[in-house]
Amino acid sequence: MKLQFLIPQYKESKDVVKPLLDSIALQQSIDFDEIGVVICNDGSDVFLDNDWLQSYPYKVEYYKEPHRGVSATRNACLDHATADYVMFCDADDMFFNACGLYIVMREIDMGGFDSLVSAFVEESRDPVTKQPVYLNHDMDSTFVHGKVHRRQFLLDQKIRWNDKLTIHEDSFFNCLCQKCADPQALKYCQTAFYLWKWRDGSVCRHDPKYILKTYNNMLDSNTALVEELLHRGKGADAAFYACNMVYDAYFTMNKDEW
């Protein structure tokens, strides 16, 4: 199998997960025998029906794990994975167009990569009219959305999600991947094929002060990244992220609205 999508699931019901699985099933010009899905339930009592999961044209594996948080559950997904490449997806997202996987599989077949970073689209809401708004994120390095990794690269480099991080945890993982990858094996895709969907129950999208309220978590994530880079002998990269966080903290905390 060439590619598996790794999905942590906590309280997300069938109705929430279905758009993502449907959007994978709609992909064009790919062999569904070459892709699969691994879903790990993070110790919740909301279970997905196995008969429904097995109705898709690709293989879906569903595992029930103890409750340990999103990072540990993503690690559990990775431990169950067997494909050459993996893509971490949130259960409430979906693919943006029907040619997204064609783009990924094309890159895999054209020599592959350690990590692929793509643009993605964010579904938001206009603060006044509440109408849907779609925002382009070009070449973002921190969000989990639109990133694909060679599984053996992750294993060889011992790259895993930090179990202690549950908020802003994706910046630790993605930045570590990009700094450990061979520069010649790090690819960028300017075409967005992944949609960070709007969800009414999402705290981070509703609270305008979410970043301010969770900034300590962002500092924890950055500190963990700096310490990990130092442990790996990447002092220059560690210094970059330490300096970057100082500037980020200054400008973030001095926003007029806060």
Side-chain angles (χ1 to χ4, degrees):
M1 189 178 293
K2 289 186 179 180
L3 175 64
Q4 283 175 308
F5 306 96
L6 310 185
I7 307 169
Q9 178 241 346
Y10 184 49
K11 294 291 188 181
E12 295 89 358
S13 65
K14 173 184 175 181
D15 290 341
V16 175
V17 181
K18 190 175 185 298
L20 173 57
L21 300 186
D22 285 354
S23 70
I24 297 174
L26 289 172
Q27 296 299 303
Q28 301 297 299
S29 299
I30 63 166
D31 184 350
F32 285 114
D33 289 335
E34 294 183 337
I35 68 171
V37 169
V38 175
I39 305 175
C40 284
N41 178 292
D42 183 20
S44 81
D45 56 359
V46 179
F47 300 115
L48 301 178
D49 179 71
N50 190 62
D51 289 340
W52 166 64
L53 293 175
Q54 300 311 314
S55 68
Y56 284 96
Y58 47 82
K59 184 178 181 180
V60 180
E61 301 172 47
Y62 188 51
Y63 300 94
K64 299 174 183 177
E65 302 286 338
H67 179 54
R68 292 177 294 175
V70 64
S71 290
T73 305
R74 285 185 178 137
N75 283 332
C77 289
L78 180 59
D79 291 337
H80 288 297
T82 57
D84 297 332
Y85 289 82
V86 296
M87 180 177 183
F88 294 94
C89 302
D90 286 340
D92 55 354
D93 290 337
M94 64 187 298
F95 278 86
F96 183 63
N97 60 56
C99 297
L101 288 193
Y102 169 78
I103 295 172
V104 176
M105 300 302 275
R106 180 195 60 191
E107 293 293 344
I108 291 175
D109 292 337
M110 292 177 59
F113 47 83
D114 285 345
S115 285
L116 181 145
V117 179
S118 79
F120 68 91
V121 176
E122 174 187 355
E123 181 184 11
S124 186
R125 292 291 183 270
D126 185 281
V128 177
T129 66
K130 308 303 180 183
Q131 294 298 307
V133 176
Y134 295 91
L135 310 172
N136 292 317
H137 288 260
D138 296 327
M139 299 298 98
D140 172 81
S141 298
T142 55
F143 288 95
V144 68
H145 318 303
K147 314 293 191 298
V148 186
H149 311 283
R150 185 167 61 87
R151 187 172 66 88
Q152 194 59 48
F153 158 69
L154 298 179
L155 296 176
D156 291 344
Q157 294 293 327
K158 296 180 172 58
I159 298 176
R160 295 177 67 81
W161 296 80
N162 188 314
D163 289 359
K164 297 179 181 179
L165 304 175
T166 56
I167 300 176
H168 303 305
E169 76 289 342
D170 41 2
S171 60
F172 168 88
F173 183 85
N174 291 321
C175 292
L176 186 59
C177 285
Q178 292 168 57
K179 292 304 178 182
C180 290
D182 182 338
Q184 301 302 314
L186 183 60
K187 289 190 175 181
Y188 297 91
C189 177
Q190 297 181 352
T191 301
F193 54 79
Y194 190 89
L195 176 65
W196 180 18
K197 279 186 61 189
W198 175 268
R199 189 177 174 193
D200 289 337
S202 175
V203 176
C204 70
R205 315 292 281 281
H206 283 233
D207 190 345
K209 293 188 176 181
Y210 174 78
I211 295 297
L212 180 64
K213 293 177 179 178
T214 62
Y215 207 79
N216 282 344
N217 302 99
M218 190 175 294
L219 292 174
D220 289 342
S221 180
N222 189 75
T223 298
L225 175 62
V226 169
E227 291 176 346
E228 182 65 26
L229 290 170
L230 288 174
H231 176 72
R232 292 171 180 261
K234 297 180 178 294
D237 292 327
F240 169 82
Y241 284 109
C243 182
N244 183 72
M245 184 51 66
V246 172
Y247 280 103
D248 185 90
Y250 174 80
F251 287 107
T252 297
M253 294 304 173
N254 280 280
K255 286 186 175 181
D256 291 338
E257 63 266 34
W258 290 351

